Amino acid sequence: MIDWFNTLQRRERLSLVVGAVFAVIVLGWVLLWNPPHRGINSLSQSLIAKQLLLSNLRVAQSMVLENPESALLSAQSLIVVIDQTHRQFGLAGKLTRNQPDGTDGIRVNFQATPFDALLSWLIGLEANYGIHVESAAINKTSQTGLVTATLVLRRT
């Protein structure tokens, strides 16, 4: 192989060496450098989402600890409870429609809503006001972590 390389003209040897160096750099980037950085970005996005969920759960916990009797059924109407609580969980502007569903239910629609915040809100409704999800239609959106949802909520 070395004999063959030495028989090449100087210009051909230079081309082969430059091409080999370029190939090593490209392969090194593709195989060694890029995968860890892609994983780091994914992990940091996941960490941010988990921190948001944790802060929402802490808000819900503080609401229960500050006012333990609120865990009993609230005397407020469902519309008022939904209107007040969805803002506390960072869902302001995401609630596009609410409509009464019988005497003890409400149908709500959310657009482009963070799934973790929506879930935290539903947990808070169950724990603090005795409002549970009777039915849910949740669809993913093109953005990661965001959903559109139509929920029927009912007081127990």
Side-chain angles (χ1 to χ4, degrees), residues 63-77:
M63 288 172 49
V64 170
L65 293 177
E66 288 175 7
N67 194 3
E69 56 274 353
S70 71
L72 300 173
L73 291 177
S74 173
Q76 296 175 329
S77 74

Side-chain angles (χ1 to χ4, degrees), residues 29 38 57 59 62 71 77 84 104:
W29 184 79
R38 194 177 314 141
L57 289 174
V59 168
S62 69
S77 74
Q84 290 176 352
D104 62 346

Side-chain angles (χ1 to χ4, degrees), residues 134-145:
E134 183 177 84
S135 68
I138 300 174
N139 298 307
K140 67 180 183 175
T141 63
S142 59
Q143 292 179 310
T144 303

Side-chain angles (χ1 to χ4, degrees), residues 79 97-101 105-108:
I79 293 175
R97 184 176 180 204
N98 60 16
Q99 172 185 358
D101 187 22
I106 187 168
R107 180 180 305 272
V108 293

